[in-house]
Amino acid sequence: MPGDLHRGRQKVSWAETHMPVLGGIRRRFEVERPFKGLTVSMVLHVESKTAALALAVQAGGADVRLAAGNPLSTDDDSVAALTEAGVETHAVKGETVAEYRTGVEAMLEADPDVIVDDGADLVALVHTRRHDRGRVRGSTEETTTGVTRLRALEKAGKLLFPAIDVNDAPMKHLFDNRYGTGQSTVDGIVAATNLLIAGKVCVVAGYGWCGKGVASRLKGLGADVVVTEIDPIAALEARMDGFRVMPMLDAARIADLIVTVTGSVGVVREPHFKVLKDGCLLANAGHFDVEISRPDLEGISVSRSVVRPQVEEYRFADGRRAYLIGDGRLVNLAAGQGHPVEIMDLSFALQALSVEHLARHGLSMDRKVHPVPTELDLAVAKAAMSPMGVRIDDRTEAQARYAASWEGGT
Ligand code: ADE
């Protein structure tokens, strides 16, 4: 269904009103026009906060093109608003995988100067289609999964242009991965099911920054949270944070809800489905829809039916039912509205500054994966403090001298 332009404008305006850091950067871009004459191709989750980023970069002089980073994450109303504003947008909620691929291809056909990627699908396409960088000055990447793919290209000596790893910048992962994924995952599950979290045994698979966020929000709502891990250090961290830790086969037997946040594949699979309690909810908050094995789920089910929007019931031969939320895709976007606006303000402020950095310096940067320059991270942190009512102390002269004495090795 085509989006509603009036609602789209309202949604984008609401997002922009609550994104003061990006707003400040946009106002500077309007004056400095750092992207004049450049094309910026973005593959991102197309919704209102992403629209605010696209429009900020457009305000800096770029011809911005946008395609969906996931078939279920699009907000059609925001697409209508973006199209009206002159951003060529290839995204429809519920699009087929073929349509999704066509959108990503259109981003390459636009012959971009800068790429903004989520999951490295566009960068991967450049590397399969081309042997040179074309006009690409560089790309930015905001997911753990995408950075893993970029590092593999770098290691193989095949990376065609510099890439900025936005994901690992403190101002991204400490907030977006933890508080963003934490709140929006729970939000998506609750919106889809209208069920209570308090008192449920909720199993969180994976205790990276996203898993930590999901576990802590579920605990805050009164769940009995169990963590599963394959990494001994993360497992111990989860234990000391107060969670029970156990293998998935044990956790699956007691779970009322399982949320996967691992970045891996087949985390919940046939042996686990066989021991689930009747009515267990299954949701994925990892980038790809491979963490909960759909082939295994379909293989052992005797029937399946959609019982609510974004909730599919799988019935097993012995009568037990499991409920898959959001098709096993990113539940916060498939069934919810994505990360809270203030969180995307921080992440997209970093993206906007990283795009500017590539536009200005990409052609002279090494073809490797670069961290976000520390000064950009600090600029975003400083700009975010006052809207959040946070004030801090300045270092005294004595403290500065003390720090300098250590820095000098004395
Ligand atoms: N909204 C826009 N981009 C998003 C992302 N990467 N994760 C969650 N919500 C988003």
Side-chain angles (χ1 to χ4, degrees):
M1 232 203 337
D4 179 301
L5 178 58
H6 176 65
R7 267 202 320 252
R9 285 187 196 135
Q10 281 182 327
K11 287 180 181 176
V12 176
S13 161
W14 177 261
E16 286 179 333
T17 303
H18 295 89
M19 297 175 87
V21 183
L22 184 64
I25 293 168
R26 176 183 168 143
R27 285 191 290 283
R28 180 171 63 74
F29 283 175
E30 280 164 0
V31 176
E32 295 180 9
R33 308 274 291 169
F35 311 119
K36 191 158 180 277
L38 302 187
T39 298
V40 177
S41 284
M42 303 179 164
V43 177
L44 292 172
H45 300 292
V46 180
E47 47 102 4
S48 59
K49 287 92 84 181
T50 312
L53 171 66
L55 295 174
V57 173
Q58 185 192 51
D63 175 4
V64 179
R65 315 285 175 102
L66 181 58
N70 181 302
L72 279 186
S73 64
T74 298
D75 174 57
D76 293 328
D77 301 336
S78 300
V79 174
L82 278 163
T83 306
E84 180 195 44
V87 175
E88 185 184 303
T89 305
H90 298 254
V92 180
K93 175 117 182 159
E95 67 194 18
T96 62
V97 172
E99 284 168 327
Y100 162 76
R101 291 216 179 101
T102 307
V104 179
E105 302 237 349
M107 295 304 101
L108 180 56
E109 280 155 20
D111 204 8
D113 297 275
V114 180
I115 288 172
V116 180
D117 219 349
D118 180 315
D121 277 357
L122 179 52
V123 168
L125 187 68
V126 176
H127 284 77
T128 50
R129 289 287 166 77
R130 286 189 182 169
H131 300 293
D132 60 64
R133 69 196 287 177
R135 289 166 31 159
V136 181
R137 297 182 185 198
S139 70
T140 67
E141 171 56 52
E142 67 173 11
T143 67
T144 312
T145 302
V147 171
T148 307
R149 294 173 87 183
L150 289 170
R151 290 211 184 278
L153 280 170
E154 179 187 26
K155 197 164 163 213
K158 291 188 178 156
L159 194 60
L160 292 171
F161 41 75
I164 295 188
D165 168 5
V166 176
N167 181 62
D168 288 298
M171 282 307 295
K172 198 276 181 177
H173 72 264
L174 291 179
F175 302 94
D176 179 306
N177 298 30
R178 182 167 37 173
Y179 301 108
T181 305
Q183 179 171 320
S184 62
T185 295
V186 177
D187 180 31
I189 293 166
V190 171
T193 62
N194 194 22
L195 294 176
L196 183 70
I197 297 293
K200 284 203 169 42
V201 175
C202 295
V203 175
V204 178
Y207 204 66
W209 285 111
C210 294
K212 286 189 195 23
V214 175
S216 103
R217 301 298 108 161
L218 289 168
K219 181 178 172 183
L221 286 171
D224 172 7
V225 178
V226 172
V227 170
T228 72
E229 251 300 342
I230 53 169
D231 175 63
I233 300 173
L236 283 175
E237 199 184 359
R239 185 71 194 109
M240 291 201 194
D241 284 345
F243 301 114
R244 285 192 281 164
V245 179
M246 61 183 78
M248 182 58 85
L249 199 54
D250 297 337
R253 293 178 202 279
I254 56 172
D256 297 303
L257 163 69
I258 302 178
V259 186
T260 53
V261 215
T262 68
S264 191
V265 63
V267 178
V268 190
R269 51 188 185 274
E270 184 174 328
H272 310 125
F273 297 137
K274 285 190 166 155
V275 300
L276 290 182
K277 291 195 306 190
D278 180 33
C280 183
L281 306 170
L282 303 168
N284 168 51
H287 184 74
F288 288 119
D289 59 340
V290 294
E291 304 207 12
I292 299 168
S293 172
R294 287 272 299 269
D296 283 10
L297 194 50
E298 284 161 21
I300 68 160
S301 302
V302 290
S303 71
R304 53 190 268 215
S305 57
V306 174
V307 290
R308 286 171 62 88
Q310 302 300 344
V311 183
E312 201 167 11
E313 177 188 283
Y314 286 79
R315 193 176 278 271
F316 305 139
D318 58 9
R320 282 174 308 123
R321 294 156 298 179
Y323 295 105
L324 182 65
I325 307 174
D327 220 14
R329 295 186 186 278
L330 271 173
V331 71
N332 60 339
L333 283 148
Q337 302 179 65
H339 288 356
V341 184
E342 298 94 325
I343 291 290
M344 292 318 294
D345 187 27
L346 306 178
S347 300
F348 283 161
L350 267 187
Q351 284 277 20
L353 294 179
S354 299
V355 171
E356 182 186 20
H357 189 79
L358 287 170
R360 293 192 196 277
H361 309 293
L363 292 175
S364 58
M365 289 165 68
D366 291 341
R367 298 173 184 207
K368 54 182 198 151
V369 181
H370 298 260
V372 170
T374 306
E375 63 273 18
L376 303 189
D377 231 12
L378 278 175
V380 171
K382 281 188 189 150
M385 281 196 330
S386 138
M388 290 197 183
V390 176
R391 294 189 304 125
I392 57 174
D393 291 317
D394 289 326
R395 205 145 64 168
T396 63
E397 276 183 25
Q399 287 166 344
R401 277 197 304 278
Y402 184 70
S405 74
W406 290 109
E407 281 154 18
T410 51

